[in-house]
Amino acid sequence: MNALWAVYKREVGVFFRSPIAYAIAFGLMLFLGVLFSASVNSAVLQNQSGFAQQPITADLLFQSNLAVLVFLMFIVAPLLTMRLISEEAREGTLEVLMTLPMGDWAFVLGKFLAVWTFYTVILALTLAHTLMLDGIGVLDGGVVFGAYLGAWLYGGATLALAMIWSAITEDQIVAAFLGSATVLVLFLADGLAQLAGTQDFTRGAANFIRELSLQSHYQNTMLEGIIRAEDIAYFVFVMIAAVFLTTLIVGTRRWRAS
């Protein structure tokens, strides 16, 4: 546990001293802020005009804002994780770290928890938008809790998946590209499952693909405030599996270096 804490503390310090990490967080929050402002103004105008078929509620604005953040994780997650292990390998410090008395799991898990902590801070910053919406409308507490819990777990899963590629390649750009592709494919899998489900002979495959999709375990359930054990289990399983696979890859590097 001491080794895990040491790695975690070191990586958290790196994130909060990194101009790149701050630039990613600033760019994301700026985009979400502009989108939030435009969405609120548009909703107010439509509600006042009387032409809207149904009023645009605070819950709907909240859900759309958080859904955008979750969608953008196919960009954000690879950018945050691309340097975690690949930079250590490229600079030769990975071999040095591997000689220290700590297990591969402590090294990988410490890094993962650090980047998940940084993402948690970014997610917490969006509470400013939620509080503004609560001031001008009425938010459902259950929807807010479920959506944030889902976004937190979703973020952890995408970060764990993207980190695999940082362990595989020393090139940060390649790691970011492959991580982005992996997360995007799993995000779009739900749409592919809907297309495949239109035919009887592909319905079984469609159900399997849907279960693998990140979106199917968030968009229609947790984002709506519906918390299901199977959705939580899915995200937890993805994180455990991805961290385990990354640990195996790092262990292979240690074996080759010895």
Side-chain angles (χ1 to χ4, degrees):
M1 291 300 294
N2 289 336
L4 172 63
W5 173 248
V7 174
Y8 172 78
K9 187 166 62 173
R10 171 180 178 268
E11 286 301 319
V12 167
V14 170
F15 270 110
F16 284 97
R17 291 194 304 268
S18 171
I20 296 177
Y22 278 110
I24 294 170
F26 175 78
L28 178 62
M29 293 308 300
L30 178 63
F31 178 78
L32 291 176
V34 171
L35 186 64
F36 173 77
S37 177
S39 299
V40 171
N41 290 333
S42 176
V44 170
L45 290 175
Q46 288 188 48
N47 288 343
Q48 290 178 346
S49 68
F51 291 109
Q53 294 182 350
Q54 58 182 9
I56 301 176
T57 64
D59 281 335
L60 185 60
L61 289 173
F62 163 75
Q63 290 169 322
S64 63
N65 197 54
L66 209 56
V68 171
L69 170 61
V70 165
F71 169 71
L72 291 176
M73 285 307 294
F74 88 94
I75 298 176
V76 176
L79 290 178
L80 290 177
T81 59
M82 64 182 183
R83 53 152 290 275
L84 280 180
I85 300 174
S86 62
E87 186 178 60
E88 305 273 16
R90 182 171 55 84
E91 295 181 353
T93 55
L94 181 60
E95 286 74 13
V96 177
L97 289 171
M98 291 295 95
T99 61
L100 298 177
M102 66 175 173
D104 299 332
W105 68 272
F107 176 75
V108 173
L109 185 59
K111 283 180 172 289
F112 167 69
L113 292 176
V115 69
W116 199 12
T117 298
F118 188 76
Y119 166 74
T120 302
V121 172
I122 295 176
L123 184 63
L125 292 176
T126 64
L127 285 171
H129 300 154
T130 305
L131 292 175
M132 291 179 194
L133 282 175
D134 195 44
I136 61 177
V138 179
L139 285 174
D140 186 320
V143 171
V144 172
F145 177 77
Y148 267 110
L149 176 62
W152 184 63
L153 293 172
Y154 187 108
T158 56
L159 291 167
L161 289 167
M163 192 171 67
I164 295 173
W165 297 106
S166 182
I168 291 176
T169 176
E170 296 181 7
D171 192 317
Q172 295 185 34
I173 303 301
V174 173
F177 174 78
L178 293 174
S180 179
T182 301
V183 174
L184 187 59
V185 166
L186 289 176
F187 178 88
L188 297 175
D190 187 52
L192 178 61
Q194 291 180 15
L195 292 175
T198 58
Q199 303 295 329
D200 292 337
F201 64 91
T202 59
R203 195 155 294 161
N207 291 333
F208 177 73
I209 294 173
R210 185 176 292 108
E211 288 303 315
L212 292 179
S213 170
L214 289 164
Q215 190 71 339
S216 65
H217 291 279
Y218 179 72
Q219 184 74 28
N220 298 321
T221 55
M222 302 190 83
L223 185 61
E224 299 290 337
I226 304 170
I227 301 176
R228 302 187 305 175
E230 61 188 86
D231 295 326
I232 295 176
Y234 166 80
F235 288 120
V236 172
F237 174 77
V238 169
M239 284 185 274
I240 292 175
V243 169
F244 177 72
L245 182 56
T246 305
T247 302
L248 289 181
I249 296 170
V250 170
T252 302
R253 284 179 176 269
R254 180 199 288 268
W255 178 75
R256 288 178 178 177
S258 60

